[in-house]
Amino acid sequence: MGDLSANFSRHEFACKCGCGADHINTDLVAYIQMIRSAVGQPITITSGVRCSAHNARCGGKPSSAHLTGDAVDITCRDSRLRHQLVSLAMRGGICRVGIHKDFVHIDLAKNLPQDVLWVY
């Protein structure tokens, strides 16, 4: 049980450097919960909110949606899960999706280009 949704807690979205930044967009949490419910199995958030120092250390862009709490990266173990995550995100109205061999990036940033799909 989570404190933000049925399956997610605030600490899962907090900056991984330990600084305490955890200002995740609650609309994004609702989307991730919808995806998790549809997938029917646990999903792991590898990156949520990032402070600017941690974002720089991970090679994030200075305009990254992680800085504003509008993005998450979800671990992918295989191509079937990757397909499910991307399909569910796009069907759910997510307009910004990035695909990496190890994760799927989903974000709600309105100040960045919309209707985009990219690969890392």
Side-chain angles (χ1 to χ4, degrees):
M1 295 271 173
D3 60 0
L4 289 178
S5 72
N7 298 105
F8 294 103
S9 297
R10 183 168 299 280
H11 75 272
E12 294 177 83
F13 297 97
C15 186
K16 303 301 185 204
C17 80
C19 69
D22 66 357
H23 52 277
I24 193 70
N25 180 328
T26 55
D27 291 336
L28 181 59
V29 174
Y31 276 106
I32 301 306
Q33 180 60 54
M34 178 273 302
I35 290 169
R36 194 285 186 206
S37 297
V39 169
Q41 65 185 31
I43 57 176
T44 302
I45 307 299
T46 56
S47 186
V49 175
R50 293 183 194 156
C51 68
S52 57
H54 183 64
N55 188 60
R57 282 191 300 274
C58 344
K61 292 185 177 183
S63 61
S64 173
H66 288 282
L67 295 167
T68 57
D70 291 320
V72 296
D73 296 339
I74 301 171
T75 299
C76 282
R77 296 174 302 281
D78 57 49
S79 61
R80 182 173 301 278
L81 179 60
R82 185 175 302 104
H83 181 271
Q84 285 181 300
L85 293 174
V86 171
S87 295
L88 289 165
M90 293 177 82
R91 271 190 267 148
I94 301 291
C95 297
R96 295 182 45 78
V97 178
I99 302 171
H100 184 274
K101 68 177 185 139
D102 297 323
F103 65 87
V104 170
H105 171 99
I106 295 172
D107 84 54
L108 295 180
K110 299 296 183 207
N111 63 322
L112 297 171
Q114 300 295 295
D115 300 321
V116 293
L117 177 67
W118 66 90
V119 294
Y120 293 92

